[in-house]
Amino acid sequence: MDFKLSDEQRMLEETVGRLVRDGYPFDVREKARTSELGFSKEMWQQFAELGLLGVPFSEDFGGFNGGGPELMVVAEGFGRGLVLEPYLATVVLSGTLINALGSDSQKEALISAIVGGELRLALAAYEPEGRYDHTHVATTAEKSGDGYVISGSKAVVLHGDSADKLVVIARTAGNANDRNGLSAFVVDAAAEGVSRRGYETIDGLHAAEISLNKAPAELLGEEGNAIDALEKSLALGIVALCAEATGAMEVACDHTLNYIKERQQFGVPIGKFQALQHRMVEMRMELEKARSMTILAACSLELSAPVCAKRLAAAKAIIGKSGRKVAEEAIQLHGGMGMMEETAVSHYAKRIVMIDHQLGDLGYHMQQLENLLDVDEDAA
Amino acid sequence: MDINYTPEELAFRDEVRAFLDEKLPKDIASKVKNSQHLGKEDTIRWQKILNEKGWMAMHWPTEHGGTGWSPIQKHIFEEECAEYGAPTVLPFGVNMVAPVLIKFGTDEQKQKYLPPILNSDVWWCQGYSEPGAGSDLAGLKTKAVREGDHYVVNGQKTWTTLGQHADWIFCLVRTDPNAKKQEGISFLLIDMETPGITVRPLITLDGEHEVNEVFFDDVKVPVENLVGEENKGWTCAKYLLTFERTGIAGVGQSKAALKHLKEVARKVQQNGKPLIEDPLFRNRLADVEMELMALEMTNLRTVAAAQAGGVPGAESSFLKIMGTELRQEITDLFRRAAGPYAQPFLPETFDADYDGEMVGPDFANSVSTKYFNMRKLSIFGGSNEIQKNIIAKMILGL
């Protein structure tokens, strides 16, 4: 048993750490956040130059061949800086799905472009009526000439407003909620039949409602057989979100601790009051739990499917539960300052809470865990 | 990064399992698993078996007969013991007074006291708390006055766990009433047979006799029973409190208890269905399950850090809070699983010899006594509020 990072992982951590420290101060982030795009293309190019866009891909495409722990290291660093760029959408969710399903020529074209920073993607999987259920797919695809056309609606597609291409999950067989019959497609975002309503999310990111009306699409992999690959990509996404939350929770705790050491009331720093000390301790305890579960999730992706699923559900559920406590307490201990847009901690709180609304919230994952209660952990 | 056990660690786990399969007496394990009373004899029998194997003293250096185990080995051992229903090794001798003796004692003291601790020939108890000194331990008043080659001890200790069986007690006593609180305290070893000592039982809310009051009335204690320097006893006390405690999180106990709870919830019927299918109960089970996973990983991170040379200091306070809250939560779920049968109080059924009829399901007889007994977890060993104070001061710098 060894919790230390390997030399390569530590280098990755340092790279991301330096980038966030030097390139991502709060005012710079604010400028990017309030721009029309909602993030910085220059920063995206820096990601490419540093090799970050290739972390989960093979060396053939200029990648790093990383797994759960590598993505964890990157995402935790991004969480510390509240990074706005579409890394989760492009690399973790869409990129790994293309990598798993695509033909050699599709990968050659698309993965290379992702790694080089020339292509940004969004995963259009969830639907307006489906909440967090990725098998709830009413969007359909049918053959048309050499390719397919897709019709349907996709909900809160992260970075769907600015993506060059969309990876769309559509049904080629079966009924909504069937696991079989799901296929993955690449759709050009500018194609006819694609309409997007983009918007900002409360935590400063961007997303879109997407309507597809006979939009031309290119199939990835085998028809009707995307579910396993999709779930693997979503699992990686969960690891990345857990890690991002952990990074953000760490900073929220640090800012709060600094604040209660400085803020004076009744002639003393408010951190002298035991009521606040204990709340601060509880925040740190939640952070430790979140970190533990992120490590557990990141290191469990290769295990048997039920054990992996159980651990990921538990991890994301803890992130939802602990994240809420940390976010709320960070605001509370900052008092009125915690309510202000100009205070960084409010932005951390918003991102931490919104992470619970991505790829399944506390209730959803507890339900998953309840279904897996009989899975024996020691079988791992 | 690899959260799995190494082949060597797995081999060690197999060795522990083989030992427990072969040597743990079935009657003792059955008492532990069925929450029946463990007698003094049971505890001593098991500890002597451990000592024969050389596994009694996990935390001692090897030159004194310790195992020399790594923190991860200790963790594995504790988890397997809990899973098999081995009695918890009583900490007062082997894990409390002995490390203090090894660190601060004279050669004579080590030779005299350590071997009987290792072989469980002498039963120790702890004389720290007093009626007026709980969380504020340094406020203790029991005084020891030097008279020639003796100290004369007067005062009262309380919450003395299993003191009714004890041969010896290690005490914090005040030797300088004029010094600042922490500076006038000494660490003294006292033979319980000494004239002037009275032990009075305290019956706790679950009807058990686990703790006692110990009164000292002109008790003469030879000066060679002083450990370390006079008036430096607080150093010993602090050393003991920060002494490595891999088991403080109680992960093994919680895992075994949760496993048992699930078995019970599969059997108990509610509205014609197993209780485990009740949405509310299942939700709480899931909550305990995920919190236990988080606790186990946090414990392992701390253990691994200790292995790598970091000393677990105030971090163990996190583990104490998280671990005790979780164990208490599990006892609450057991109580709920029993339903109305949580109410009958039949202490005679805790006796392994009881062969009369039970009332309600077998597991239900102990759920409420255990629930109330386990309230102690967040109070003793430094209450959870004191643990938060420690973290606030030592880790957060508040």
Side-chain angles (χ1 to χ4, degrees):
Chain A
M1 189 166 293
D2 184 8
F3 289 90
K4 286 193 299 296
L5 297 176
S6 69
D7 288 346
E8 278 193 326
Q9 289 163 349
R10 206 166 35 245
M11 275 167 55
L12 196 57
E13 186 182 47
E14 278 164 20
T15 302
V16 177
R18 202 175 317 117
L19 178 72
V20 166
R21 243 187 345 269
D22 300 344
Y24 237 91
F26 185 61
D27 56 326
V28 173
R29 178 189 185 269
E30 280 298 273
K31 210 171 142 218
R33 180 181 72 83
T34 50
S35 70
E36 198 187 335
L37 189 60
F39 63 87
S40 153
K41 281 185 181 168
E42 293 71 35
M43 185 54 69
W44 191 251
Q45 281 315 311
Q46 278 198 53
F47 287 8
E49 281 156 30
L50 292 167
L52 298 176
L53 300 178
V55 166
F57 307 121
S58 86
E59 283 103 345
D60 298 345
F61 303 113
F64 195 83
N65 234 344
E70 286 75 21
L71 274 179
M72 172 181 82
V73 162
V74 173
E76 195 176 319
F78 285 171
R80 288 195 187 98
L82 289 186
V83 162
L84 297 159
E85 283 66 24
Y87 191 85
L88 178 68
T90 300
V91 176
V92 183
L93 295 173
S94 309
T96 62
L97 192 54
I98 293 170
N99 197 42
L101 292 175
S103 65
D104 287 348
S105 62
Q106 284 170 326
K107 286 198 270 189
E108 184 59 47
L110 297 170
I111 303 290
S112 302
I114 293 173
V115 175
E118 298 125 34
L119 176 66
R120 289 190 307 270
L121 298 162
L123 176 67
Y126 299 96
E127 303 198 345
E129 306 292 319
R131 290 177 65 85
Y132 299 115
D133 182 359
H134 58 272
T135 65
H136 181 101
V137 176
T139 298
T140 54
E142 55 190 48
K143 282 213 165 101
S144 167
D146 289 346
Y148 289 78
V149 289
I150 299 183
S151 298
S153 301
K154 294 292 178 180
V156 204
V157 177
L158 184 63
H159 293 295
D161 62 328
S162 63
D164 305 309
K165 289 180 190 292
L166 307 168
V167 174
V168 180
I169 306 301
R171 191 164 285 289
T172 42
N175 302 309
N177 298 92
D178 281 351
R179 291 176 58 79
N180 293 323
L182 296 181
S183 306
F185 298 89
V186 179
V187 174
D188 195 328
E192 207 166 314
V194 178
S195 66
R196 305 190 271 182
R197 181 182 172 208
Y199 45 79
E200 264 185 67
T201 54
I202 182 75
D203 53 348
L205 301 179
H206 280 226
E209 299 298 291
I210 297 181
S211 297
L212 302 153
N213 185 12
K214 294 198 169 20
E218 185 185 334
L219 179 68
L220 287 166
E222 233 178 280
E223 188 185 291
N225 226 354
I227 186 73
D228 290 347
L230 173 63
E231 288 182 344
K232 281 201 171 128
S233 290
L234 295 177
L236 280 172
I238 286 174
V239 168
L241 282 175
C242 289
E244 185 188 346
T246 301
M249 285 163 73
E250 183 185 294
V251 175
C253 284
D254 289 350
H255 282 201
T256 306
L257 181 59
N258 290 338
Y259 184 78
I260 67 171
K261 282 180 178 173
E262 279 162 17
R263 169 73 176 165
Q264 303 255 339
Q265 286 290 276
F266 306 102
V268 290
I270 59 173
K272 289 286 166 208
F273 299 123
Q274 202 174 45
L276 300 198
Q277 289 179 353
H278 286 196
R279 296 175 83 148
M280 189 68 233
V281 168
E282 281 156 23
M283 284 175 73
R284 284 289 288 260
M285 207 147 56
E286 298 304 325
L287 170 63
E288 291 305 322
K289 283 195 231 170
R291 188 182 301 288
S292 291
M293 291 307 279
T294 299
I295 293 171
L296 183 70
C299 294
S300 298
L301 294 172
E302 310 300 325
L303 301 177
S304 74
V307 173
C308 172
K310 182 176 185 178
R311 290 183 176 180
L312 284 170
K316 188 65 170 60
I318 287 278
I319 291 293
K321 188 177 168 187
S322 300
R324 178 187 162 193
K325 283 190 203 159
V326 167
E328 290 178 357
E329 290 295 87
I331 294 173
Q332 179 70 22
L333 267 63
H334 272 83
M337 292 310 292
M339 296 297 296
M340 301 292 290
E341 192 184 32
E342 66 173 48
T343 309
V345 84
S346 71
H347 296 260
Y348 282 90
K350 287 195 281 186
R351 180 63 190 139
I352 293 164
V353 171
M354 285 306 116
I355 282 177
D356 193 36
H357 292 267
Q358 297 185 328
L359 307 186
D361 66 1
L362 172 60
Y364 174 85
H365 283 290
M366 281 197 75
Q367 187 73 54
Q368 301 302 307
L369 186 57
E370 286 176 34
N371 296 337
L372 294 162
L373 270 188
D374 297 331
V375 173
D376 186 4
E377 266 289 296
D378 291 335
Chain B
M1 177 173 287
D2 182 5
I3 59 166
N4 299 302
Y5 288 133
T6 63
E8 293 76 31
E9 287 158 354
L10 286 174
F12 175 74
R13 191 173 70 178
D14 289 341
E15 190 188 351
V16 172
R17 286 178 177 176
F19 166 74
L20 290 167
D21 273 327
E22 191 192 345
K23 298 285 188 184
L24 174 62
K26 300 285 174 283
D27 61 311
I28 293 181
S30 158
K31 285 182 188 176
V32 171
K33 292 210 159 177
N34 295 311
S35 305
Q36 289 164 333
H37 280 148
L38 273 184
K40 178 178 182 177
E41 180 277 330
D42 294 317
T43 301
I44 290 178
R45 182 152 52 109
W46 171 236
Q47 292 188 174
K48 279 183 183 285
I49 292 170
L50 280 177
N51 190 38
E52 262 170 47
K53 176 77 177 170
W55 285 1
M56 178 62 191
M58 280 204 299
H59 302 303
W60 297 14
T62 43
E63 68 257 37
H64 293 292
T67 55
W69 284 341
S70 69
I72 288 178
Q73 284 177 303
K74 294 175 190 175
H75 171 80
I76 290 172
F77 180 73
E78 286 179 335
E79 183 161 330
E80 294 303 320
C81 282
E83 166 74 21
Y84 274 76
T88 314
V89 167
L90 285 180
F92 309 108
V94 70
N95 294 334
M96 297 179 97
V97 71
V100 170
L101 286 167
I102 291 169
K103 174 91 173 171
F104 300 102
T106 62
D107 286 343
E108 290 74 27
Q109 286 173 333
K110 287 178 204 174
Q111 275 159 25
K112 177 175 176 189
Y113 296 110
L114 293 182
I117 288 175
L118 213 44
N119 201 38
S120 302
D121 293 328
V122 169
W123 187 295
W124 283 86
C125 66
Q126 180 185 27
Y128 271 30
S129 296
E130 296 182 6
S135 290
D136 182 14
L137 183 60
L140 59 92
K141 291 198 172 68
T142 295
K143 62 176 183 193
V145 179
R146 177 93 185 246
E147 285 180 12
D149 53 2
H150 282 81
Y151 289 102
V152 177
V153 179
N154 279 287
Q156 182 194 346
K157 294 292 175 182
T158 192
W159 313 130
T160 315
T161 302
L162 300 179
Q164 70 266 39
H165 303 312
D167 306 302
W168 282 76
I169 184 169
F170 58 94
C171 284
L172 293 178
V173 292
R174 187 158 300 286
T175 36
D176 184 352
N178 301 317
K180 278 207 299 189
K181 268 205 315 199
Q182 283 86 350
E183 286 167 15
I185 292 171
S186 299
F187 194 98
L188 211 53
L189 311 177
I190 305 177
D191 185 341
M192 293 290 279
E193 295 285 318
T194 321
I197 296 181
T198 313
V199 179
R200 272 219 310 250
L202 292 169
I203 304 303
T204 41
L205 77 179
D206 53 343
E208 292 291 324
H209 175 203
E210 206 171 66
V211 288
N212 303 272
E213 297 177 298
V214 182
F215 296 88
F216 298 86
D217 186 11
D218 285 334
V219 174
K220 282 176 79 179
V221 181
V223 287
E224 62 260 31
N225 290 13
L226 176 74
V227 180
E229 289 174 48
E230 192 176 87
N231 297 328
K232 295 278 190 251
W234 193 247
T235 313
C236 300
K238 270 199 309 193
Y239 176 72
L240 207 162
L241 288 174
T242 58
F243 191 71
E244 187 183 321
R245 287 178 291 176
T246 51
I248 197 166
V251 173
Q253 281 107 323
S254 284
K255 279 176 102 171
L258 179 58
K259 198 172 166 186
H260 185 205
L261 177 63
K262 283 189 200 167
E263 285 163 15
V264 161
R266 283 190 197 102
K267 275 193 209 140
V268 172
Q269 295 286 311
Q270 178 177 281
N271 300 328
K273 279 194 298 192
L275 178 63
I276 198 163
E277 290 174 24
D278 172 78
L280 188 62
F281 196 84
R282 205 171 169 85
N283 184 268
R284 286 189 65 184
L285 274 180
D287 192 57
V288 167
E289 181 109 16
M290 71 195 203
E291 291 288 343
L292 182 50
M293 288 162 94
L295 172 68
E296 183 175 19
M297 280 303 285
T298 307
N299 191 45
L300 286 169
R301 285 170 53 213
T302 311
V303 166
Q307 182 127 318
V311 179
E315 283 78 13
S316 61
S317 294
F318 278 123
L319 296 173
K320 201 252 169 179
I321 298 168
M322 290 161 69
T324 54
E325 285 179 355
L326 198 56
R327 283 179 71 187
Q328 290 176 335
E329 178 72 6
I330 294 172
T331 65
D332 185 64
L333 285 174
F334 264 111
R335 179 167 66 77
R336 287 172 194 287
Y341 281 111
Q343 298 171 91
F345 175 56
L346 301 157
E348 65 274 18
T349 63
F350 303 146
D351 199 333
D353 297 332
Y354 178 75
D355 58 1
E357 230 176 292
M358 301 292 271
V359 175
D362 280 359
F363 81 92
N365 70 327
S366 64
V367 291
S368 293
T369 49
K370 210 167 215 178
Y371 165 81
F372 284 113
N373 182 277
M374 287 294 137
R375 305 315 303 164
K376 72 189 176 189
L377 295 181
S378 47
I379 298 169
F380 71 21
S383 73
N384 287 12
E385 289 71 27
I386 290 290
Q387 304 298 333
K388 287 178 185 173
N389 290 351
I390 291 171
I391 297 166
K393 189 172 169 196
M394 307 299 286
I395 297 182
L396 303 181
L398 288 170

